Amino acid sequence: MQRVLRAAAAGIGHASGHRAPPRWGAAAVAAARWLSGGREAMSYDVVVVGAGPAGLAAAIRLKQLCRDADTDLSVCVLEKGSEVGAHVLSGNVFEPRALDELIPTWRQEDTPIRVPVSSDKFWLLTKNKAWTLPSPFDNKGNYVISLSQMVRWMASKAEELGVEVYPGFAASEILYDENQIVTGVATNDVGIAKDGSKRETFQPGVELRGDYLENAGRMTLLAEGCRGSLSEKIIRNHKLRESGQGQHQTYALGIKEVWEIEEGKHKPGSVIHTIGWPLDSKTYGGSFMYHLDDRQLAIGLVVALNYRNPFMSPYDEFQKFKQHPAVRTILDGGTVLQYGARTLNEGGFQSIPNPVFPGGAIIGCSAGFLNVPKIKGTHTAMKSGMLAAEATFKTLVEGSSMELYRENLKKSWIWEELYRARNYRPAFEYGFIPGIALSALERYVFKGKSPFTLKHGIPDHEATDMASLHSPIQYPKPDGQISFDVPTSLYRSSTNHEHDQPPHLRLRDPTVPERVNLPLYAGPESRYCPARVYEYVTDDKGDQKLHINAQNCLHCKACDIKDPKQNIEWTVPEGGGGPGYTVM
């Protein structure tokens, strides 16, 4: 794929057939390469990192504004997945509000948004029973979708407008000018061996930034999704959380499968959410079952990562959940098509950072716009991308300021929606029963306008108790029909990494696993990871040592969040590595 960028730089165009902007002549590239210290450099007005709903909505909106104003801005979107959608996972009941604004004619087009919600049920599970409760959701007019399929469609719409979309490239570095203003990003080198040597396939990374020769304006929009690696660096270095709403982010881990079920059990558009079993009363979370088309069922479990018991395994809790009589009845006779996992932001309104930094902005789930009680974030992510695009256009074309993005965000329906939802998630800091009671009070009495704002508890990694306070959990052995072991599930995720590359999962202190995590917390990384990336093995001396199977990584980011001492740093591997989702 590096050759694709080189071809674009020479003005030839790329695989989508769109010609590169004329200012990309060979002389310009050569000069840019010299200025960037040997790496090739591409000039764009706007660089978007991440081809999810937020990044693609931003790119589409930018090009729409250019078309309406009869002007042009060069826009590229970098995506670390092997193709657009390969790393996109969401249990998704889609609210089309933002899409109605972005592409009002989408219903007249051939889109993957085809299955309207037909029923909406809410269950309280005990070990053997499913009790029907009044549904707190209002999904009328919404759709059950595969988000990975939807972003592929969005990418095609972006390319039709002239956006350059480059899958297979992992943005690994933020670029600054002499005034510490962000000027773009650089992709990582590929073809580096584990020992740091250059393999025969070595190719240096590429810089994507504003035009060097014309000193044109430039803007970088970070749309990496939950816990984006570059976004987190920007938030930390520029103290954006402190200058935003002020509270730390809190997270959950979502584990999902897509099944093909028997015809008689399939009810297109049927939506079921559950709370309760198998999670204990101190752990926030729940499950979902969404009936798509073609006999497909999306099923998943979401577990808040501030859980306390270090012996808990979210993966095994999910396998256990599927054995519930009310759930197994639906799955019996079916076949698993795909498996995956991803973390999601649950901090909501209290945790929104200042989304603007010198030279760019943070959009979508990288900033954390998920509406927790709705269990929806795609529409808010898209709207944030659209608002950032409008501010970017005014900044580059009309000489405005990116602060307009923050100002318009606070005037938008995103801000209103998240403000009204702000107390639901922190209510469960007090336990399951108080959480349900406070949530009911918010919904039916205060209607989102309560005179107080609850705060989140301690950060997720600090919530883990010492192992001595809990007993090990004995999970049932997988039966191979409804529940499965991790290797079987990993195979269904199509996860693949180049084995001979530097590890992208790094220990800040290599001694912490054996010195702290294992003796004090019983090695929780071997359980919170849904891909068994981390395992303790016995060495020749009989000592337990942490072994990292980086090739298994689903890019969920749970390790970056939940490690008790924040000792694991998730960084991007070679572009194109990771899961290969198609229907998630």
Side-chain angles (χ1 to χ4, degrees):
M1 288 300 294
Q2 298 278 14
R3 288 191 296 275
V4 174
L5 278 178
R6 291 194 178 98
I12 297 171
H14 75 351
S16 296
H18 299 296
R19 291 188 60 78
R23 63 183 174 192
W24 286 357
V29 173
R33 185 171 186 173
W34 177 77
L35 287 170
S36 63
R39 291 188 295 199
E40 288 191 3
M42 307 299 162
S43 300
Y44 287 94
D45 296 306
V46 183
V47 176
V48 181
V49 180
L56 291 169
I60 290 170
R61 185 69 187 126
L62 271 165
K63 284 297 188 178
Q64 289 174 337
L65 292 167
C66 288
R67 179 190 58 196
D68 295 344
D70 195 23
T71 187
D72 190 32
L73 294 173
S74 57
V75 181
C76 84
V77 178
L78 288 183
E79 167 55 42
K80 65 182 175 66
S82 59
E83 62 178 353
V84 173
H87 289 181
V88 174
L89 179 150
S90 172
N92 207 295
V93 175
F94 178 63
E95 182 174 316
R97 182 175 187 176
L99 186 59
D100 286 337
E101 296 179 15
L102 183 66
I103 306 175
T105 61
W106 68 268
R107 288 179 177 82
Q108 285 75 57
E109 300 187 23
D110 183 18
T111 76
I113 309 168
R114 297 182 293 266
V115 184
V117 172
S118 59
S119 64
D120 205 351
K121 296 179 181 178
F122 187 49
W123 292 348
L124 169 64
L125 297 185
T126 57
K127 186 175 181 180
N128 295 305
K129 297 285 185 180
W131 304 91
T132 300
L133 301 178
S135 177
F137 307 103
D138 181 11
N139 282 314
K140 183 179 180 180
N142 295 336
Y143 295 79
V144 179
I145 69 166
S146 158
L147 190 59
S148 62
Q149 291 179 352
M150 192 184 99
V151 296
R152 288 187 181 91
W153 172 76
M154 289 182 68
S156 70
K157 302 300 292 184
E159 288 189 316
E160 288 174 8
L161 290 167
V163 176
E164 300 290 326
V165 181
Y166 294 119
F169 288 90
S172 60
E173 179 185 351
I174 302 165
L175 303 176
Y176 294 89
D177 67 10
E178 64 277 6
N179 298 315
Q180 290 303 294
I181 296 174
V182 173
T183 59
V185 298
T187 66
N188 55 4
D189 297 339
V190 298
I192 302 290
K194 285 183 179 179
D195 61 7
S197 63
K198 296 178 181 178
R199 304 198 313 267
E200 291 182 0
T201 56
F202 172 78
Q203 292 178 336
V206 177
E207 296 188 356
L208 299 105
R209 60 199 310 167
D211 195 319
Y212 299 96
L213 302 182
E214 300 175 17
N215 196 28
R218 74 288 292 248
M219 201 62 63
T220 302
L221 302 181
L222 299 178
E224 302 172 282
C226 178
R227 196 74 172 195
S229 51
L230 298 186
S231 304
E232 289 298 308
K233 289 179 181 177
I234 287 284
I235 290 172
R236 181 173 60 252
N237 294 345
H238 292 270
K239 300 186 184 304
L240 298 182
R241 208 166 292 287
E242 292 84 346
S243 62
Q245 296 305 102
Q247 293 192 39
H248 62 269
Q249 186 59 261
T250 184
Y251 302 90
L253 175 63
I255 300 174
K256 176 183 175 182
E257 290 174 345
V258 176
W259 285 63
E260 184 177 88
I261 61 175
E262 293 178 340
E263 182 68 39
K265 300 174 182 178
H266 184 234
K267 301 174 182 177
S270 172
V271 168
I272 300 172
H273 293 99
T274 85
I275 54 173
W277 190 90
L279 302 180
D280 62 53
S281 62
K282 295 181 180 179
T283 301
Y284 181 76
S287 74
F288 60 87
M289 288 182 283
Y290 304 152
H291 291 247
L292 298 96
D293 54 3
D294 299 328
R295 293 169 46 205
Q296 291 182 4
L297 173 78
I299 180 171
L301 179 71
V302 178
V303 180
L305 285 176
N306 66 343
Y307 66 82
R308 297 189 174 278
N309 188 344
F311 293 107
M312 177 187 283
S313 163
Y315 177 88
D316 290 303
E317 294 289 331
F318 175 52
Q319 304 308 315
K320 187 176 175 182
F321 157 72
K322 291 186 292 177
Q323 296 287 1
H324 190 280
V327 178
R328 178 160 190 146
T329 298
I330 298 172
L331 300 181
D332 270 332
T335 304
V336 182
L337 302 178
Q338 207 153 65
Y339 163 82
R342 189 68 170 94
T343 51
L344 53 150
N345 313 93
E346 289 195 337
F349 181 81
Q350 293 91 319
S351 302
I352 299 172
N354 176 354
V356 179
F357 56 85
I362 303 174
I363 62 179
C365 286
S366 287
F369 295 119
L370 178 78
N371 183 324
V372 175
K374 270 190 177 182
I375 324 178
K376 293 178 181 65
T378 301
H379 66 302
T380 49
M382 291 176 64
K383 180 63 174 179
S384 72
M386 294 157 63
L387 292 171
E390 289 161 6
T392 296
F393 183 84
K394 286 185 175 292
T395 298
L396 297 182
V397 176
E398 301 176 11
S400 184
S401 165
M402 275 304 288
E403 284 298 324
L404 183 64
Y405 168 41
R406 188 182 186 186
E407 294 169 9
N408 288 344
L409 187 64
K410 290 184 175 181
K411 298 175 185 176
S412 73
W413 51 259
I414 294 178
W415 206 257
E416 178 186 0
E417 185 174 310
L418 294 187
Y419 179 80
R420 293 171 66 90
R422 71 195 185 283
N423 285 332
Y424 287 85
R425 175 63 186 89
F428 285 85
E429 292 290 335
Y430 305 100
F432 180 75
I433 299 300
I436 289 291
L438 284 169
S439 295
L441 191 67
E442 277 289 313
R443 178 175 175 82
Y444 298 110
V445 178
F446 293 124
K447 301 184 186 302
K449 298 180 180 180
S450 53
F452 53 84
T453 297
L454 299 175
K455 291 186 176 182
H456 297 301
I458 56 179
D460 295 341
H461 67 279
E462 295 180 9
T464 310
D465 286 338
M466 297 288 187
S468 59
L469 299 175
H470 298 269
S471 299
I473 301 174
Q474 300 299 322
Y475 287 103
K477 184 179 179 180
D479 61 17
Q481 297 177 337
I482 301 298
S483 56
F484 307 94
D485 59 21
V486 172
T488 300
S489 293
L490 273 176
Y491 175 79
R492 291 170 175 151
S493 72
S494 299
T495 297
N496 182 55
H497 293 88
E498 167 59 55
H499 283 239
D500 189 15
Q501 66 172 298
H504 69 280
L505 302 163
R506 301 170 184 172
L507 301 179
R508 293 182 171 92
D509 181 346
T511 70
V512 164
E514 293 81 15
R515 182 170 53 85
V516 179
N517 286 10
L518 187 59
L520 298 183
Y521 301 97
E525 59 269 66
S526 64
R527 289 179 290 276
Y528 62 61
C529 174
R532 297 296 187 267
V533 168
Y534 305 94
E535 61 176 338
Y536 283 88
V537 297
T538 304
D539 65 12
D540 295 338
K541 299 179 181 179
D543 297 325
Q544 293 266 285
K545 297 291 182 182
L546 181 67
H547 179 71
I548 300 178
N549 303 299
Q551 70 275 8
N552 289 2
C553 182
L554 290 169
H555 298 206
C556 77
K557 313 290 182 68
C559 57
D560 199 73
I561 297 165
K562 187 60 174 171
D563 185 74
K565 298 303 176 183
Q566 290 288 271
N567 189 49
I568 298 173
E569 180 185 12
W570 194 98
T571 61
V572 291
E574 283 190 3
Y581 303 137
T582 57
V583 294
M584 299 300 269

